[in-house]
Amino acid sequence: MTSAPSKAIEVVGLRKSFGKQTVLDGIDFEVPAGTVFSLLGPNGAGKTTTVQILTTLIGPDAGRAVIAGHDLAKQPRAVRAAIGVTGQFSAVDKLLTGEENLLLMARLAHLGKQEGRARTAELLERFDLADAAGKIASAYSGGMRRRLDLAMSLMGRPQIIFLDEPTTGLDPRSRRTMWQIVQELVGEGTTVFLTTQVLEEADRLADRIAMLDGGKLVAQGTPQELKKQVPGGHVTLTFADAESLEAALRILGGPPCDREMLSVDVPSDGSVASLKSLLAKFDDDSVEVANLSIHSPDLDDVFFALTDHGAAEPADEAGDGAPDEPADETDAQKATK
């Protein structure tokens, strides 16, 4: 029996231009199977173009990609059979009920009638849509339509799910529900390729992150590895009175302080060793620290440090930053056939 590839996605030298505009300029990355990989970047950076290429909707100008062990250029049908796609905009047919939308996808996935009905019932239950199965999708809330959209992508039990900004426009509760669903999918062995503008989403879900800017990958790594690339980590120490604050400033050599708040900021990586060393300085002079808080760079800091918000990608061809036509999203769902 052939074992599943350890790399769900492998991309080498991927390039794409629209006219004179270079959208992807030779990007390389790998996505281990059973993980969440998040592609981040400003609008126009090339995120949606990357998803469209990897889901066989458009072709690259150069480079090579292997999806679920299948060469993208030579085996596009095998790639489509291995993936599911949930695009930026819902592919749900609002004139059909939730159940009818799923049954339609079952037929597109070439499932038999009995298997399709069983899978539909399973997905309705899993996505908490069973009670609304007979309702027209236009009556669904935004969160319900997004869950139905993802359920439709899962009809064929894909190995890899592409989620292109899946929580855009959702309220915080619906967003967290989607996060939980993604975590459950990965726990079952599914690989998730995620693009998002919600940096907290990437921080919470992604095993690895790549930053795309101006068609180039400017950084790759785990969330923690990326945060370490950005300076600015510090500890804020607060003192009980002005006398203690002045004593601390003498000990530390006059770092930035807020005399009104009786606090001082000290550069630090936040490690236990560095905190012990810092507090020991005050013990030696019997200066008591009333409170401390650790401030580490977050993905927002990384994003602003590594991306320069370059030229916008052509919206009519690349898709980033502008609404797609409804037909484009339907094609994305059909890629799961």
Side-chain angles (χ1 to χ4, degrees), residues 91-145:
V92 171
D93 189 326
K94 296 180 182 180
L95 299 180
L96 300 179
T97 66
E99 183 179 38
E100 288 168 342
N101 270 284
L102 286 167
L103 289 172
L104 174 61
M105 288 306 299
R107 290 195 292 273
L108 291 173
H110 306 295
L111 301 185
K113 182 177 291 187
Q114 184 175 354
E115 182 183 2
R117 288 193 174 278
R119 181 65 171 157
T120 293
E122 176 188 341
L123 289 169
L124 287 169
E125 187 67 32
R126 175 170 189 174
F127 286 85
D128 197 23
L129 295 169
D131 291 342
K135 292 183 179 179
I136 300 295
S138 60
Y140 283 15
S141 68
M144 291 172 67
R145 280 198 297 273

Side-chain angles (χ1 to χ4, degrees), residues 29-32 35-40 199-211 218-230 297-300 302-303 306:
F29 61 84
E30 296 178 354
V31 182
T35 66
V36 179
F37 178 88
S38 184
L39 186 62
L40 304 181
L199 299 185
E200 181 190 358
E201 186 166 271
D203 200 359
R204 180 180 291 257
L205 296 178
D207 297 288
R208 290 187 62 80
I209 291 172
M211 290 274 185
V218 294
Q220 293 190 62
T222 67
Q224 289 305 315
E225 288 170 345
L226 292 181
K227 292 172 190 176
K228 289 180 180 178
Q229 295 184 27
V230 179
D298 56 21
L299 280 184
D300 289 73
V302 177
F303 185 90
L306 298 180

Side-chain angles (χ1 to χ4, degrees), residues 160-181:
I160 303 169
I161 294 287
F162 288 86
L163 301 179
D164 194 7
E165 301 190 18
T167 61
T168 298
L170 296 187
D171 62 77
R173 186 181 300 277
S174 296
R175 181 177 295 126
R176 289 182 182 274
T177 298
M178 287 294 291
W179 293 353
Q180 182 179 352
I181 291 171

Side-chain angles (χ1 to χ4, degrees), residues 2-197:
T2 303
S3 60
S6 60
K7 298 175 185 175
I9 301 173
E10 184 176 7
V11 172
V12 179
L14 202 64
R15 295 180 180 275
K16 184 66 179 179
S17 297
F18 294 104
K20 297 181 179 180
Q21 177 71 42
T22 299
V23 178
L24 296 176
D25 192 9
I27 65 173
D28 307 274
F29 61 84
E30 296 178 354
V31 182
T35 66
V36 179
F37 178 88
S38 184
L39 186 62
L40 304 181
N43 286 338
K47 302 185 300 299
T48 294
T49 296
T50 302
V51 171
Q52 290 177 334
I53 290 173
L54 298 182
T55 56
T56 77
L57 295 179
I58 61 176
D61 296 333
R64 179 172 180 267
V66 177
I67 315 293
H70 307 294
D71 187 280
L72 183 69
K74 299 177 181 178
Q75 302 168 292
R77 291 179 65 88
V79 170
R80 295 187 194 110
I83 66 174
V85 183
T86 298
Q88 288 184 28
F89 303 94
S90 175
V92 171
D93 189 326
K94 296 180 182 180
L95 299 180
L96 300 179
T97 66
E99 183 179 38
E100 288 168 342
N101 270 284
L102 286 167
L103 289 172
L104 174 61
M105 288 306 299
R107 290 195 292 273
L108 291 173
H110 306 295
L111 301 185
K113 182 177 291 187
Q114 184 175 354
E115 182 183 2
R117 288 193 174 278
R119 181 65 171 157
T120 293
E122 176 188 341
L123 289 169
L124 287 169
E125 187 67 32
R126 175 170 189 174
F127 286 85
D128 197 23
L129 295 169
D131 291 342
K135 292 183 179 179
I136 300 295
S138 60
Y140 283 15
S141 68
M144 291 172 67
R145 280 198 297 273
R146 209 57 173 141
R147 296 203 306 274
L148 177 59
D149 202 22
L150 181 53
M152 291 165 64
S153 298
L154 293 174
M155 178 58 71
R157 294 184 173 86
Q159 299 174 44
I160 303 169
I161 294 287
F162 288 86
L163 301 179
D164 194 7
E165 301 190 18
T167 61
T168 298
L170 296 187
D171 62 77
R173 186 181 300 277
S174 296
R175 181 177 295 126
R176 289 182 182 274
T177 298
M178 287 294 291
W179 293 353
Q180 182 179 352
I181 291 171
V182 170
Q183 290 169 331
E184 290 172 356
L185 288 171
V186 174
E188 295 166 2
T190 304
T191 303
V192 175
F193 186 105
L194 171 72
T195 75
T196 181
Q197 297 287 10

